[in-house]
Amino acid sequence: MRFVRGWGVGLGLAVLGAARPGLAQEPIDFARQVLPVLEKHCFECHRAAYTDAQGRRRTPKGGLRLDGREWIAKGGDNGRVLVPGKPEQSELYTRTVLPEDHPDRMPDGRDALPARETEILRAWIAAGAGFGAWSGATGPEPVRLTGSGAARPAEPVAAWRTEVAKGLAPLAPEVLAKAAGGKARITPIAEGSPLLRVEFPGHEADVGDQDLAALAPLREHVAQLILPRARVTDRGMAAVARLPRLVHLDLRETAVGDPGVAQLGGLTELRVLNLFATPVTDAGVATLARLSKLESVYLWESEVTEAGLVRLRAALPGARIVGAPALPAPETDGAGARNPRRPR
Amino acid sequence: MSCHDLLHAADDLTRRMFLGETARRLFGLGAASFLLRDPALPGTDGFALGPASARNVVYVFLRGGLSHIDSFDPKPGAATAGPVQAIATSADGVQVSEYFPHLARQMDKVAILSGMSSTQGAHAQGQYLMRTGYELRGTIQHPSLGAWVNRMAGRINPTMPGHVILGGGADMPSAGFFPPQFLALPIGDPKAGLQHSARARGVDEATFQRRLDLLAKMNQGFQERFPHKQVTAYGDMYAAAVRLMRSDDLVAFDLGAEPAGIRNAYGDGTFGQGCLLARRLVEHGVRFVEVVSDGWDTHVQNFDALEEKTPDLDRGLACLLADLDARGLLRETLVVVATEFGRSPEITRDNNGRNHYPKAFSCLLAGGGIRGGVRYGQTDAEGKEVLAGRTTIPDLNATIAHALGLPLEHVVHSPAGRPFTVADKGKPVLALFG
């Protein structure tokens, strides 16, 4: 078999290069036929970094390694060097057959590959560039996290937990139990943290301004105050304004409007403010511009106009000012048009 | 039969039957057990909770095995892609299949886990593993993730259940070896809401109260003579049921209270309306809501089936993410999209289908402190092998548990004394957080 194939190559080259018979039709065994060519002519420069006999550190030239199947598939700094089935587009072959004096000819500064060996490369690529069982050096570690979100700096969700708590000792459990008074759910934001989350789940309709005033004993510790649908008013915000470590205030679906929001200007730690479905207007949110730590302000279903959102975004460039979402358009009778291939 | 008729029939019933029947009528069989639990502060069970980036979970479960190549790990140009194209999304560098045009606009909020890998290739075993984190065994029923979350972090709203399953059958693993108060409340049809939770027509509040007082009187003697835990529990459950009936939170179950524009945006199918109900339940402090979608087992005519089924999924998910985000809820609500396994990259020659494929598939995470606009993990050019970021099902559960601040090392013993943890030996994918 070996004899027959060798004879075929010899004959092909002898007859006429252009005809290229024999080899292209024969399956090429990578490990037995191609690998020795790469080892002899390419590996000196295109393999894993190593220290040569003279003690010099040798890194793969052009970022190209040919000592593993995944490395070969990956290519070098300038991209792929192998296009299976297309030798004329594969630099792994084309650069070995450039004229002797061409600056791109490989191997660089060495004798050209004998025609028999360039023909092995060509035929191997033409036949699909299979590697058989050979895999060689372990390939590059593929990137685990991709997409535009991967480049974003770490979200500040966690940073404030230690920052704001600095110098504060946790309150005694009795103080917390007393303050809860049957309605509030008061919990440390994490085991051992002095900072508290205060909410009234299941009791929102009974929660009024007096319940906010009752938070006074906890005032240094409240970091999250969650009041959706509570019956709190603008007047109640006076008590909220006295919570120096308040980071997250949720007033969604309450009656708190401009006079209430105007009192929050001193909450310098405030990062999240939810005013969804409140009567707050452009004038009200203008006072928020002072709160430089704000990261997110939610204003959908409030009275704030598009122009008001734009102004607030300009005043707080680091914050996410959230208005109405782009919900999918409701389905109509012609809903199938959205996905033309959907059977109807 | 109304409550009224039941009282008349009470002469013929044992007291236990009466109580059981009444509880069943109020909340459906098994459903009332969630009411057994009094509100507990975190830590009262001795679970040391770490910093949580998520408070609630909406866990979308696609039963049958969603094809990863045709959804969130598209392989444009590969032979295994079939006729499905990939489309760009609101996150540069992240593509999804053309079946998800609405979701594509929300991908800046979503992390795709493309390196999911399961050990189970059959539905029952795969679903069990995905929902409990443990392999199906004859000797024990493991608690579902929702039960673990409620046990460790506690219920948020004392009036509401801590764990609701929308559109899922009673065959779903639920409380496992945990006490019955960790059973999920199943709601078959989200559009119907919570059945039998209103006072019977013609019974005014005063009459209703008189009947409750009468019931209490009837029960009193029995409870004094038989002061067992279960007898008390039934009484407590009844009281809690009445509390929910009268509470402002009951409206959470009523999709009719939602503006038509929002209802329509979610799509009128069971899945979309389930997503909408999930949002309402999260707003009312339900810790863990599951939305189950059936029919993803596309062995036959895979592409036809997906063209039929994906529009509801696409619309419902996209709407849920956009709506939660604009209400300020997504920052503390972790949305999970899970399925028991992927589908084979090879398209079957006979019927253009795809078979089960647990080796590589995709799940989604969004909100609750998860970094959006990313793909974690990578499969090869044909979607066959995980090349990087291999994520096991316990790893996924550990990631969810980490977001909620649950202690991963905390051992809970089964009644027989066997040790278990919330995510078995799973490791959270920390790269997905901040």
Side-chain angles (χ1 to χ4, degrees):
Chain A
M1 191 61 202
R2 175 177 253 174
F3 167 78
V4 173
R5 187 177 291 124
W7 180 81
V9 172
L11 182 68
L13 291 172
V15 172
L16 190 65
R20 287 172 185 151
L23 201 57
Q25 280 78 45
E26 290 287 332
I28 305 280
D29 183 321
F30 178 86
R32 201 164 52 79
Q33 296 168 272
V34 183
L35 186 58
V37 176
L38 299 181
E39 280 173 343
K40 189 162 78 183
H41 300 286
C42 315
F43 272 21
E44 187 183 340
C45 300
H46 297 295
R47 63 156 148 137
Y50 67 105
T51 306
D52 68 12
Q54 284 76 45
R56 285 176 304 180
R57 187 73 184 155
R58 302 285 293 268
T59 53
K61 283 193 174 174
L64 177 66
R65 281 178 61 175
L66 299 173
D67 57 343
R69 63 188 290 171
E70 287 169 25
W71 289 107
I72 296 173
K74 175 176 176 277
D77 294 342
N78 297 325
R80 296 174 72 174
V81 296
L82 174 66
V83 183
K86 300 210 164 71
E88 67 284 1
Q89 293 174 25
S90 302
E91 288 189 31
L92 186 61
Y93 164 70
T94 56
R95 290 179 68 172
T96 64
V97 292
L98 290 170
E100 191 82 40
D101 56 350
H102 195 287
D104 289 342
R105 188 188 62 85
M106 287 290 159
D108 189 19
R110 299 274 212 86
D111 289 343
L113 268 62
R116 187 176 54 82
E117 292 180 352
T118 59
E119 178 54 20
I120 286 173
L121 289 178
R122 193 205 61 77
W124 170 66
I125 296 169
F131 289 95
W134 183 83
S135 61
T138 309
E141 172 75 6
V143 189
R144 293 200 297 172
L145 200 62
T146 56
S148 53
R152 234 184 355 252
E155 293 230 348
V157 278
W160 64 265
R161 294 197 184 99
T162 44
E163 204 179 299
V164 178
K166 220 169 265 171
L168 197 66
L171 287 170
E174 309 87 76
V175 181
L176 299 186
K178 193 164 166 237
K183 271 195 260 184
R185 187 184 200 271
I186 302 175
T187 47
I189 60 162
E191 179 85 357
S193 171
L195 298 176
L196 300 173
R197 179 184 182 97
V198 177
E199 57 202 321
F200 299 84
H203 298 282
E204 286 88 354
D206 308 327
V207 171
D209 294 342
Q210 72 288 352
D211 297 289
L212 300 179
L215 296 175
L218 315 176
R219 58 182 291 264
E220 296 292 334
H221 296 76
V222 178
Q224 300 178 328
L225 183 56
I226 312 297
L227 300 165
R229 303 181 300 279
R231 305 277 157 86
V232 295
T233 70
D234 291 326
R235 295 161 63 108
M237 293 305 106
V240 175
R242 288 193 288 271
L243 304 172
R245 290 184 177 81
L246 194 61
V247 168
H248 182 170
L249 176 60
D250 190 340
L251 294 169
R252 83 191 115 98
E253 298 176 74
T254 66
V256 176
D258 292 352
V261 171
Q263 297 173 62
L264 305 179
L267 294 175
T268 52
E269 295 294 345
L270 197 63
R271 285 153 174 83
V272 182
L273 178 58
N274 195 333
L275 295 169
F276 167 77
T278 58
V280 69
T281 73
D282 292 359
V285 294
T287 60
L288 299 176
R290 274 181 284 165
L291 299 172
S292 59
K293 286 188 184 165
L294 273 176
E295 290 159 11
S296 301
V297 183
Y298 298 93
L299 293 165
W300 185 25
E301 300 279 7
S302 72
E303 302 296 323
V304 176
T305 65
E306 200 52 46
L309 293 175
V310 170
R311 274 198 297 278
L312 191 56
R313 281 179 191 131
L316 291 168
R320 208 171 151 239
I321 310 297
V322 183
L327 298 179
E331 267 184 337
T332 58
D333 290 337
R338 184 168 49 79
N339 186 342
R341 299 194 303 166
R342 184 186 182 186
R344 271 275 146 185
Chain B
M1 203 194 276
S2 69
C3 217
H4 183 80
D5 300 327
L6 259 175
L7 280 170
H8 278 293
D11 290 343
D12 305 325
L13 297 168
T14 66
R15 201 177 309 272
R16 189 180 305 165
M17 279 167 71
F18 169 76
L19 283 165
E21 186 65 11
T22 310
R24 252 198 300 282
R25 266 151 210 286
L26 273 167
F27 290 100
L29 182 62
S33 51
F34 75 82
L35 297 158
L36 282 168
R37 191 174 193 220
D38 278 317
L41 287 176
T44 49
D45 281 343
F47 298 110
L49 300 177
S53 57
R55 300 266 302 162
N56 307 82
V57 178
V58 177
Y59 186 103
V60 174
F61 190 63
L62 307 175
R63 277 217 282 207
L66 173 69
S67 165
H68 54 298
I69 292 175
D70 303 321
S71 58
F72 310 125
D73 193 10
K75 300 295 175 185
T80 52
V84 185
Q85 305 295 310
I87 56 174
T89 71
S90 58
D92 286 345
V94 176
Q95 289 188 323
V96 297
S97 93
E98 62 179 316
Y99 291 142
F100 296 90
H102 291 305
L103 188 59
R105 288 187 209 109
Q106 307 298 330
M107 290 308 289
D108 55 307
K109 306 175 181 70
V110 180
I112 303 175
L113 282 77
S114 289
M116 291 299 307
S117 194
S118 173
T119 53
Q120 303 296 315
H123 293 294
Q125 285 81 356
Q127 289 170 12
Y128 189 92
L129 176 60
M130 184 48 99
R131 297 184 70 267
T132 66
Y134 285 89
E135 287 182 8
L136 184 60
R137 292 270 183 275
T139 51
I140 192 157
Q141 276 277 323
H142 300 89
S144 71
L145 185 62
W148 276 100
V149 169
N150 271 287
R151 172 125 189 220
M152 292 185 131
R155 248 200 277 166
I156 299 172
N157 185 337
T159 317
M160 294 283 275
H163 185 191
V164 179
I165 299 183
L166 305 176
D171 56 327
M172 309 285 280
S174 187
F177 62 76
F178 283 178
Q181 64 261 39
F182 296 106
L183 272 169
L185 167 67
I187 293 181
D189 179 5
K191 286 185 249 188
L194 190 58
Q195 293 292 285
H196 311 297
S197 55
R199 262 200 329 264
R201 205 171 304 168
V203 180
D204 62 17
E205 179 62 33
T207 311
F208 185 57
Q209 186 58 50
R210 261 204 318 281
R211 289 177 184 177
L212 289 174
D213 293 345
L214 178 63
L215 176 67
K217 236 181 266 174
M218 288 161 69
N219 284 343
Q220 197 179 4
F222 183 79
Q223 283 172 347
E224 278 165 10
R225 260 181 296 139
F226 303 99
H228 300 305
K229 226 192 251 171
Q230 279 162 344
V231 173
T232 325
Y234 244 110
D236 292 349
M237 180 155 60
Y238 206 95
V242 174
R243 200 161 65 226
L244 177 55
M245 272 178 75
R246 289 171 170 170
S247 83
D248 296 316
D249 288 313
L250 193 59
V251 72
F253 292 95
D254 180 11
L255 293 182
E258 200 66 32
I262 302 277
R263 281 195 76 157
N264 294 340
Y266 275 89
D268 57 6
T270 303
F271 178 74
Q273 296 295 297
C275 287
L276 176 55
L277 183 51
R279 190 215 82 206
R280 291 180 66 83
L281 295 176
V282 165
E283 283 178 303
H284 285 264
V286 177
R287 180 73 81 173
F288 200 100
V289 187
E290 295 188 46
V291 187
V292 180
S293 171
D294 273 313
W296 297 95
D297 195 18
T298 53
H299 285 284
V300 178
Q301 299 304 334
N302 170 72
F303 302 100
D304 291 349
L306 289 179
E307 279 172 28
E308 184 62 33
K309 285 198 65 62
T310 48
D312 289 344
L313 178 64
D314 176 42
R315 171 174 287 273
L317 281 179
C319 207
L320 177 67
L321 292 172
D323 196 11
L324 282 174
D325 180 48
R327 285 165 200 264
L329 294 169
L330 191 61
R331 60 184 307 114
E332 293 194 325
T333 303
L334 178 60
V335 178
V336 184
V337 180
T339 185
E340 65 257 42
F341 39 61
R343 304 207 75 85
S344 59
E346 291 83 14
I347 300 159
T348 56
R349 212 166 282 193
D350 302 344
N351 46 23
N352 220 22
R354 294 194 195 267
N355 295 324
H356 302 176
Y357 198 76
K359 203 185 204 180
F361 63 106
S362 294
C363 290
L364 306 181
L365 291 175
I370 292 290
R371 178 188 288 260
V374 297
R375 180 184 298 280
Y376 178 83
Q378 197 184 323
T379 56
D380 63 20
E382 297 179 307
K384 285 181 179 165
E385 305 279 342
V386 175
L387 297 181
R390 191 182 126 88
T391 310
T392 65
I393 289 170
D395 291 340
L396 176 68
N397 283 3
T399 307
I400 297 166
H402 177 81
L404 291 155
L406 307 187
L408 295 174
E409 309 295 327
H410 193 117
V411 173
V412 173
H413 291 91
S414 70
R418 290 165 61 187
F420 296 94
T421 58
V422 58
D424 197 7
K425 294 172 188 70
K427 298 266 177 298
V429 182
L430 297 176
L432 294 176
F433 293 91

